[in-house]
Amino acid sequence: MRVYVPLTLSGLAAAHGAGELGPGPLTAYAVTPGLREWYVSDDIEELEYAALNRAAAASLRMIAGTPDEARRRVVVAVDVPDGAAVADPDQGLSAASLGEVRIAAALPLAKAAAVHVDADDAEKDVAAAAAALGAADLGEDDARFTVDGAEDHELLWFGVQEIPQLIG
């Protein structure tokens, strides 16, 4: 099963230094039954893209909570054994937790399939979205529009071997 672990650039640097994503338990995003039902698609690539976007939104929340953090969303894609990622059955179809899974233990960074990171040109929109997140959560339309502006940026794909250049 592929999971998408939301991080920040400093979180990616810490994971690179430790050689693992963790410690556990970790919150990640994956193609869960709830995500399948919400997205209404059988196309696994579309579903994985939806899970990646859920992780990118969680990365934005991490950035918003850390004023000194670089304004670039980071998601690490990792393949884990079936059963290692568990969805909370109590969450059901809660919009806030669609695709969310828990992983009990740290994940070796060497098992990562890829790293997804915003391009430099997304920083301005990600910064604005991080600042507007609270108001968007309260239902303010202009703030929601600003948050959606960050979501318009596609995360770039990087190989794990490229992490030193990303954090350097």
Side-chain angles (χ1 to χ4, degrees), residues 52-103:
L52 171 66
N53 284 330
R54 300 293 295 172
S59 175
L60 179 64
R61 289 195 176 281
M62 293 174 172
I63 291 166
T66 312
D68 294 336
E69 186 62 53
R71 292 338 209 194
R72 293 172 70 193
R73 298 167 299 164
V74 177
V75 176
V76 179
V78 184
D79 292 321
V80 300
D82 288 340
V86 179
D88 183 348
D90 294 332
Q91 294 293 335
L93 291 178
S94 165
S97 63
L98 280 171
E100 189 173 289
V101 295
R102 298 277 182 275
I103 302 164

